[in-house]
Amino acid sequence: MWVNKLPHPTTHFTQGANMNKKPPRAYLENANQFNRELGSAKNKVLTDVEVLRVDSFTDDLRDKWEELRTRYQLDSPYFDFEFMQCVNEVRDDISVAILRDQDEIVGFFPFQRVGGKKAYPVGGLINDYHGIIGDPELQNHWLTILRKSNLNSWRFHSMETVCPASEPYRYARIPCPYIDLSQGFQNYYRNATIHSSVFRRQSQKTSKMKRELGELRLEYNSRDPELLETVIRWKREKFKRTQAFDILSVDWTANLVRSVFQRELPNFYSTLNVLWAGDKLVAAHMGISTKSILHYWFPTFNYEFGKYSPGTQMFLMLAEEAASRGIKLIDLGYGDDGFKSQWAFQRKYALYGCIHPSSLQLNIARVKFRIRNAIRNSSWKHPFRPIMRKFFPNFGKGAYR
């Protein structure tokens, strides 16, 4: 269900457990400092836009990127330049607009060019957070940025750190659930068992799994490429079972996961979590981590052992281990479907929409979006899904071109 109101940045957390608790630093360490930054940003003027390929970036540009990312608390690994490089390795259409006020670089706008003058976020729908790296008030210059980047439009599905100038371009506000581990795993788990029947039932399933399969063992950060291929295979099998479009059938998407897996930097590294029961591999997850955030990216499980809900047990074990390693927050990405509503009781919000100069085109796109969303959320779609997939096997592929 779409959220109809976007809370103020200082109050956009929780409905449920810990609702009076200040959010972790990963999203808001000092609201007053953040607001002062926004106030000074209003004096910025966009005087120049230069577009470079990602592989043309110098060390000085990367340092400036990191400086702006830190200043504006864009802590998600999707804002790390290393993620741009991972996507650039598997595609040839990744560029960055460098935004200047006179001689000062005030922002970066990374994008993935598709279909000539159309653009998506870098990594398309696999990128869970995106936007300008820099002053949020630069969003007042969206149309200038697009024009000088030789673009007509930029479609976004989870834009963070927005200012009022982006409101006319949104189709919807979407929830982005996250799990706060800043007070430790046990604090989260106590609240989770109160609010989630899934967690309350899991202990019985886990006991049965131990009796029938053997003791549980979590590998928190496996570097075994064969296990990564198992994650990809299981994920593709699930897409087939559920009649959903197989996003990993597109070559560049699976290769992006492999590219991220190879990263082991101090503040950007892959995390391949695998859960064993005896000698059986029962669940696995491929994620992206910074020093304080674990982004939950591609979770999956062995369908043969689904009755034990091994994915839920793996999550609990990896969350406990992550907290012990200094992770303060587990981000579940945009959308509030399925397991997310059972695991996470805090939300931030992002925008879904399109930057486009034509208000007519935007209104038409909004109507199409609402129709698609109504169909997606309807109960009668399920009987027709196998028929649709049979006659239109590539339906959905356009979003990953």
Side-chain angles (χ1 to χ4, degrees):
M1 181 176 69
W2 298 115
V3 177
N4 295 319
K5 184 177 181 181
L6 178 63
H8 185 275
T10 62
T11 58
H12 63 204
F13 56 99
T14 88
Q15 290 264 342
N18 296 330
M19 64 182 300
N20 295 318
K21 187 166 162 290
K22 184 179 178 180
R25 184 217 172 273
Y27 288 114
L28 190 61
E29 181 179 20
N30 188 322
N32 291 330
Q33 177 184 350
F34 187 72
N35 289 331
R36 285 196 299 270
E37 295 282 2
L38 290 183
S40 64
K42 292 179 181 179
N43 298 321
K44 298 293 183 183
V45 177
L46 182 64
T47 61
D48 183 56
V49 176
E50 177 189 8
V51 177
L52 289 181
R53 294 288 300 266
V54 166
D55 47 19
S56 299
F57 259 54
T58 64
D59 290 342
D60 287 344
L61 287 174
R62 289 195 59 165
D63 290 344
K64 186 63 177 181
W65 177 297
E66 189 59 28
E67 174 193 327
L68 292 172
R69 180 183 171 219
T70 300
R71 183 187 307 171
Y72 293 100
Q73 301 181 16
L74 299 172
D75 297 320
S76 169
Y78 291 102
F79 291 115
D80 196 297
F81 190 79
E82 199 66 30
F83 181 76
M84 310 299 152
Q85 288 196 307
C86 289
V87 181
N88 192 60
E89 288 179 1
V90 299
R91 298 184 62 100
D92 60 358
D93 52 8
I94 308 304
S95 299
V96 178
I98 303 172
L99 314 179
R100 288 186 171 90
D101 175 6
Q102 302 301 329
D103 294 330
E104 179 188 3
I105 295 177
V106 292
F108 297 94
F109 170 54
F111 60 89
Q112 177 176 303
R113 191 183 297 272
V114 293
K117 293 190 175 185
K118 296 179 180 179
Y120 289 165
V122 173
L125 293 178
I126 294 181
N127 182 335
D128 279 0
Y129 297 112
H130 36 268
I132 291 175
I133 310 295
D135 296 330
E137 291 296 322
L138 286 168
Q139 295 167 37
N140 284 297
H141 304 285
W142 270 127
L143 297 184
T144 299
I145 294 170
L146 291 192
R147 185 175 68 253
K148 292 191 175 184
S149 301
N150 196 28
L151 296 173
N152 288 336
S153 65
W154 179 64
R155 292 179 59 181
F156 55 90
H157 51 273
S158 186
M159 181 166 63
E160 273 202 305
T161 315
V162 297
C163 78
S166 292
E167 280 294 317
Y169 303 107
R170 71 170 174 85
Y171 302 165
R173 297 185 180 97
I174 58 175
C176 304
Y178 65 90
I179 292 157
D180 179 8
L181 295 176
S182 61
Q183 301 301 311
F185 172 77
Q186 291 302 325
N187 183 71
Y188 160 72
Y189 185 67
R190 280 194 300 270
N191 288 317
T193 52
I194 293 172
H195 294 277
S196 174
S197 60
V198 169
F199 285 159
R200 290 195 296 272
R201 294 193 299 265
Q202 185 59 41
S203 60
Q204 293 180 336
K205 294 182 178 181
T206 299
S207 296
K208 184 176 182 181
M209 179 163 51
K210 289 179 180 178
R211 287 196 305 270
E212 297 181 356
L213 300 181
E215 287 300 311
L216 303 186
R217 175 172 59 90
L218 176 74
E219 286 185 62
Y220 182 77
N221 192 10
S222 171
R223 309 314 299 170
D224 187 342
E226 292 186 7
L227 290 177
L228 177 67
E229 294 305 316
T230 299
V231 170
I232 294 173
R233 186 178 75 253
W234 283 358
K235 202 69 179 176
R236 297 193 63 185
E237 289 172 355
K238 181 181 179 181
F239 290 137
K240 185 175 181 180
R241 285 196 308 272
T242 58
Q243 302 293 327
F245 174 69
D246 179 3
I247 66 174
L248 295 173
S249 67
V250 183
D251 286 344
W252 74 265
T253 57
N255 287 336
L256 173 59
V257 176
R258 297 182 181 105
S259 178
V260 171
F261 177 68
Q262 296 170 7
R263 263 50 183 192
E264 295 185 77
L265 301 175
N267 203 36
F268 184 93
Y269 57 95
S270 63
T271 307
L272 179 58
N273 316 113
V274 292
L275 178 64
W276 301 88
D279 61 353
K280 305 292 185 182
L281 179 61
V282 294
H285 161 252
M286 167 63 185
I288 317 175
S289 290
T290 68
K291 291 178 180 177
S292 61
I293 295 175
L294 167 61
H295 193 94
Y296 208 68
W297 202 23
F298 281 98
T300 186
F301 65 93
N302 190 332
Y303 190 66
E304 179 183 355
F305 305 115
K307 65 180 180 179
Y308 304 116
S309 298
T312 300
Q313 181 58 34
M314 176 191 66
F315 172 76
L316 290 172
M317 294 175 70
L318 76 85
E320 183 172 19
E321 179 63 22
S324 73
R325 292 171 178 244
I327 295 295
K328 304 300 182 185
L329 183 146
I330 298 179
D331 196 322
L332 302 184
Y334 67 94
D336 212 6
D337 53 302
F339 66 90
K340 297 181 183 182
S341 60
Q342 292 289 332
W343 293 1
F345 314 104
Q346 296 171 290
R347 308 285 184 271
K348 57 178 182 151
Y349 294 86
L351 296 193
Y352 187 117
C354 181
I355 309 298
H356 196 287
S358 169
S359 58
L360 176 61
Q361 292 294 325
L362 283 172
N363 287 331
I364 292 173
R366 281 192 190 95
V367 171
K368 290 181 178 178
F369 170 81
R370 288 166 184 166
I371 292 173
R372 288 196 303 269
N373 196 46
I375 294 173
R376 188 181 297 116
N377 292 331
S378 65
S379 58
W380 52 264
K381 71 175 182 179
H382 300 289
F384 294 98
R385 180 175 280 181
I387 299 173
M388 282 287 294
R389 190 56 59 194
K390 178 178 180 180
F391 289 100
F392 303 98
N394 291 322
F395 182 74
K397 187 175 183 178
Y400 298 90
R401 56 183 171 174

